[in-house]
Amino acid sequence: MLDLLKKGFDLSRNINLTIKGYILTGMIWALLATILGLVNELQLMALLPLPDLLDYGHLRPVYTLLLIFGSLLSFFFAGSYWILQKETGAILLAPAGWVGFKLHQTALIVGVVFILLDANKGREYGELFWIADNLMALALVLFLVTSVTAIKMAGKSGVVLTSIVVTAAGALVIYLVGNVNLPYSALGSVSPARGMQDAALQEAYRTGVLVYFILMPAFTLLYFFIPAYYKVGIFSESLFRFQVLAIIVLVPLAAGAGLVYSAAPEGLQTLGIVAGMALAVAIMAGGLNLHYSLTRSGKRFQSDALGLLIRFSLFFLIVASVLRIVLAPRFVQAALGFTWLNPRDIAFDAQTYVLMIMLAGGLYMFQKINEHTLSARNLKLIAGLAIAGIALMFVANIGHGAIQAVERSATASNGDLAVQEWSKIVYAGSFAQQEHEPTAANPAAAEEADKEPAGIVARYMLSLRGVYFTGNVLIALAVLLAVLTFLIRASRSGKGYTEPDLTAANT
């Protein structure tokens, strides 16, 4: 038994074991999450019938858990350990990282089981019951301690190392604050906050998850991989410091933006709107900093598939930041706050451009660690599917949100709302609706046709929600192909990794 433990300890001292484990689980969780995202969309929009255990109320929290705390967090840990190894050398507390990996994955698996058994807290993006919460928090603590120890022992500093520490520390704090609960049984717990206080805590948690579990992990990988991949320096370290300082200050203040038109004090709502817009500016500044690192480097690049995936994802990150600025004012929220053009659905950011950034980073690390050069054809197909999918999902949400806002506010000649059924606003803009308009001869024809399963599916697929679903399918296919490429290559011996020549088009 002691020999077995010693052998396990010796293996865990090689941080590459932990990195490979996190890349593998990041891939698996990404695939499961994107599949669940498709199922959720069909459940909500096409009324896909499933047993009660697998209804929308059960599968939606499983989807967000596996996407954000499973896939994205696994890729972040893998990327951070890879960066720490490159920047600081041997990682003294590598076994602690391996233990953290085990705790992290255990928390996810156990959490999913108990969500399906209704033993979850019910907080959006915080569904784990208190035991799994503690395991997740402990995994974050071990990662932070391992990282800080490696950095201090090496005496190193810099943009990417700072980003690792800030992201990990912010994630730990926001996770503890957002998931604080008082256990009252082996599986049950209750939040100490109630009413408006609990709503405010939820919005602070939502904002923190967006920044520290979704966006900052992506920035961390980008701040390392763009310079490493393209052989350029960061455009402005001062801009990076501004981004980090602004995020630390603004995250708790920006939560008030999610309380607009609630019972919260109006001053708090206004503060939240202003801070939310400022936070979006800080995030956009980070995106532009990375963009300028390429465009103002004095070089011209010819990106390969992974490079294109990263650059297009960075573009959509900037677009999402601009949208958050535009959508923040009170009068805009009044028009668009209940439409699909809703920035409060942070799982949208996680599944689109952020997941693709992390996936690209994972594939790059795998090639380097296993001495493989992945199929250029497969990588091009992955990038093409992903970029097209993200574009369709953005276009669908923006277009559909605008149409819904118009439909919701339209009035009849007598001053009443022209559309008085929310289902018609949900499917607003559907081409299928034109086929069933009520007539003088049969005014109920449209209503009856639209209630039939075939009518619901037609109305859904022939609307912008159908475009969104198509984008969702393309992203799921991209992830599936990435996973298959990874698994097939992982079982073969490495033949060496060839760095791509991205400056071949220089003049």
Side-chain angles (χ1 to χ4, degrees):
M1 183 65 177
L2 290 176
D3 290 339
L4 185 61
L5 291 174
K6 184 178 183 301
K7 184 178 180 181
F9 177 78
D10 290 339
L11 286 173
S12 68
R13 293 174 65 183
N14 182 358
I15 197 64
N16 283 337
L17 177 67
T18 303
I19 295 172
K20 290 178 182 179
Y22 269 127
I23 294 174
L24 175 61
T25 53
M27 293 276 187
I28 292 173
W29 296 138
L31 180 59
L32 291 177
T34 51
I35 292 172
L36 287 175
L38 290 174
V39 174
N40 281 172
E41 181 70 14
L42 291 174
Q43 287 175 310
L44 192 63
M45 303 301 299
L47 306 183
L48 177 68
L50 286 175
D52 291 344
L53 183 65
L54 300 177
D55 61 14
Y56 184 85
H58 286 90
L59 293 189
R60 168 69 185 190
V62 173
Y63 156 69
T64 58
L65 172 66
L66 296 184
L67 176 62
I68 299 171
F69 300 97
S71 180
L72 299 189
L73 193 57
S74 291
F75 280 128
F76 168 66
F77 285 160
S80 296
Y81 283 134
W82 166 263
I83 294 165
L84 286 168
Q85 181 178 231
K86 294 296 180 184
E87 295 289 309
T88 68
I91 298 176
L92 177 65
L93 298 182
W98 178 246
V99 173
F101 167 76
K102 295 286 190 179
L103 293 175
H104 180 196
Q105 305 310 314
T106 301
L108 291 169
I109 295 170
V110 174
V112 168
V113 171
F114 283 99
I115 286 173
L116 297 178
L117 295 178
D118 296 322
N120 54 318
K121 297 197 306 292
R123 181 177 297 283
E124 193 174 9
Y125 307 110
E127 298 281 357
L128 294 177
F129 75 106
W130 68 275
I131 296 175
D133 265 335
N134 290 340
L135 295 176
M136 183 71 73
L138 187 54
L140 287 166
V141 169
L142 289 173
F143 171 76
L144 183 59
V145 170
T146 302
S147 302
V148 171
T149 301
I151 294 170
K152 288 184 71 67
M153 289 189 65
K156 294 286 189 72
S157 63
V159 168
V160 70
L161 297 180
T162 300
S163 187
I164 289 174
V165 174
V166 170
T167 302
L172 177 60
V173 170
I174 206 67
Y175 192 84
L176 293 175
V177 170
N179 289 285
V180 60
N181 265 256
L182 304 176
Y184 61 84
S185 71
L187 300 178
S189 62
V190 62
S191 172
R194 288 291 184 274
M196 198 66 246
Q197 291 178 336
D198 193 50
L201 185 65
Q202 169 62 44
E203 292 309 316
Y205 180 62
R206 185 200 309 274
T207 305
V209 169
L210 171 65
V211 171
Y212 290 116
F213 283 92
I214 298 175
L215 294 176
M216 280 304 291
F219 274 118
T220 299
L221 265 63
L222 288 174
Y223 275 122
F224 179 81
F225 288 121
I226 284 182
Y229 210 57
Y230 286 92
K231 307 299 186 292
V232 296
I234 295 298
F235 173 70
S236 172
E237 292 193 14
S238 297
L239 194 54
F240 166 77
R241 287 191 290 270
F242 161 76
Q243 176 193 0
V244 169
L245 181 60
I247 281 173
I248 292 172
V249 173
L250 293 171
V251 163
L253 301 178
L259 300 173
V260 172
Y261 294 111
S262 72
E266 190 168 323
L268 178 62
Q269 297 178 30
T270 302
L271 174 63
I273 291 172
V274 174
M277 295 175 73
L279 179 61
V281 169
I283 292 167
M284 183 174 63
L288 291 174
N289 194 14
L290 288 161
H291 173 69
Y292 290 151
S293 298
L294 294 172
T295 59
R296 300 189 180 182
S297 64
K299 302 178 181 179
R300 295 182 60 189
F301 298 103
Q302 181 175 296
S303 296
D304 64 350
L306 288 184
L308 285 174
L309 186 55
I310 289 174
R311 295 184 71 170
F312 271 95
S313 297
L314 182 59
F315 166 76
F316 285 114
L317 185 154
I318 296 171
V319 170
S321 301
V322 173
L323 284 174
R324 282 195 160 82
I325 296 171
V326 173
L327 297 173
R330 194 183 307 271
F331 71 93
V332 179
Q333 289 199 46
L336 297 168
F338 294 96
T339 72
W340 290 107
L341 187 54
N342 176 14
R344 295 179 68 192
D345 182 13
I346 61 177
F348 173 80
D349 301 79
Q351 187 177 344
T352 53
Y353 58 92
V354 173
L355 179 58
M356 293 306 110
I357 290 170
M358 309 305 268
L359 194 65
L363 291 173
Y364 173 70
M365 286 185 289
F366 168 73
Q367 292 181 100
K368 297 283 283 186
I369 293 174
N370 272 34
E371 289 295 321
H372 275 301
T373 299
L374 295 176
S375 166
R377 183 180 61 182
N378 284 5
L379 292 179
K380 285 180 182 178
L381 186 54
I382 291 168
L385 289 170
I387 293 168
I390 296 171
L392 289 177
M393 292 173 76
F394 265 85
V395 169
N397 271 3
I398 293 171
H400 201 179
I403 293 172
Q404 284 181 296
V406 171
E407 290 288 315
R408 185 191 63 82
S409 59
T411 55
S413 57
N414 61 359
D416 292 338
L417 291 174
V419 181
Q420 299 188 10
E421 293 184 23
W422 188 253
S423 63
K424 292 185 178 181
I425 295 175
V426 170
Y427 294 108
S430 173
F431 298 109
Q433 287 179 326
Q434 300 173 5
E435 300 174 7
H436 305 299
E437 288 296 331
T439 63
N442 190 3
E447 304 299 329
E448 293 302 320
D450 284 342
K451 291 178 182 177
E452 294 295 324
I456 292 173
V457 173
R459 188 167 55 167
Y460 168 56
M461 293 306 298
L462 294 176
S463 72
L464 282 171
R465 295 315 297 169
V467 175
Y468 182 91
F469 179 76
T470 302
N472 223 330
V473 170
L474 293 180
I475 286 181
L477 290 174
V479 174
L480 174 61
L481 181 56
V483 172
L484 292 176
T485 300
F486 171 81
L487 292 177
I488 291 171
R489 282 294 182 182
S491 62
R492 298 178 182 177
S493 58
K495 296 181 180 179
Y497 172 66
T498 303
E499 288 278 358
D501 180 11
L502 303 178
T503 58
N506 284 0
T507 58

